[in-house]
Amino acid sequence: MSQLTALEWLALLHPVLAILFVYPVAGATIRLGILAREKRTDYNPALPDTVPTEHWEHGRWLVSSAVVITLWSYLVIAWRNGLGLNPVLWAAGLGTLAALLALWRVSTDTLKASFTLLCWGGLIGLGTQLPIGELPFWSSHFWSGVLLIGLLLFSLAARSGIASTTQLRRLHVSAMVLGAVLFAVVGITGCRDLIQFTAGG
């Protein structure tokens, strides 16, 4: 580890923040989602009325943190490949971040869908311009990660429909079951890539 450069140390912030923040928030979000379902179905009516809101707020922090650490990894990879000053990549990255922030604030379904697509599209577009999306989906940390973020963004944008529509609520649950699997895949492929990274491979 003493032979790592400053840029390589910065690259390690991506897995460190995932371990220290993203995965714990994911666990809390899943737990609150289970409690919210118990509250809605009267399985546990003693639960406070704030549980569904807490579930959504944790989910918002989860997807936001996932987007931010992904953009951070893009920045480090761009610098490592001599693209750190590319104005197009910077504009796309800032636009993706702006779309995420806008998603926090807008209230209409149309705007939520628009900013969700802009944010997700920005992540995919940036990633495909960097040497990180070259592996096939089933073995790629990048592709499994952007699919996971897409599912999270969908759930964030569809909050009002999830609360009021049974079909959309079932779709949300199914998407998050797949999301839980993808969290495991992302963790496994991330550890693999980290080993190769620290080994100089």
Side-chain angles (χ1 to χ4, degrees), residues 106-115 157-161:
V106 297
S107 56
T108 65
D109 291 338
T110 301
L111 287 176
K112 287 179 180 179
S114 298
F115 286 119
R159 179 199 180 192
S160 59

Side-chain angles (χ1 to χ4, degrees), residues 178-194:
L178 175 58
V181 174
L182 286 172
F183 263 112
V185 173
V186 168
I188 293 168
T189 55
C191 291
R192 177 205 62 198
D193 292 351
L194 184 60

Side-chain angles (χ1 to χ4, degrees), residues 100-150:
L100 173 66
L101 295 175
L103 185 57
W104 274 58
R105 302 184 64 85
V106 297
S107 56
T108 65
D109 291 338
T110 301
L111 287 176
K112 287 179 180 179
S114 298
F115 286 119
T116 293
L117 290 174
L118 284 172
C119 183
W120 194 42
L123 291 176
I124 295 174
L126 278 167
T128 53
Q129 297 304 308
L130 298 170
I132 55 177
E134 301 168 348
L135 294 174
F137 169 78
W138 54 86
S139 61
S140 171
H141 183 68
F142 165 72
W143 285 114
S144 54
V146 294
L147 177 56
L148 171 60
I149 292 176

Side-chain angles (χ1 to χ4, degrees), residues 35-51:
L35 293 178
R37 180 174 176 80
E38 291 180 355
K39 177 68 176 179
R40 185 178 61 253
T41 58
D42 288 329
Y43 180 81
N44 191 352
L47 290 169
D49 295 335
T50 57
V51 166

Side-chain angles (χ1 to χ4, degrees), residues 5 18 24 26 35 48 54 59 64 66 86-87 90 109 119 141 146 149 155 170:
T5 66
L35 293 178
E54 291 175 359
S64 300
N86 187 308
W90 273 97
D109 291 338
C119 183
H141 183 68
V146 294
I149 292 176
S155 296
R170 289 173 178 170

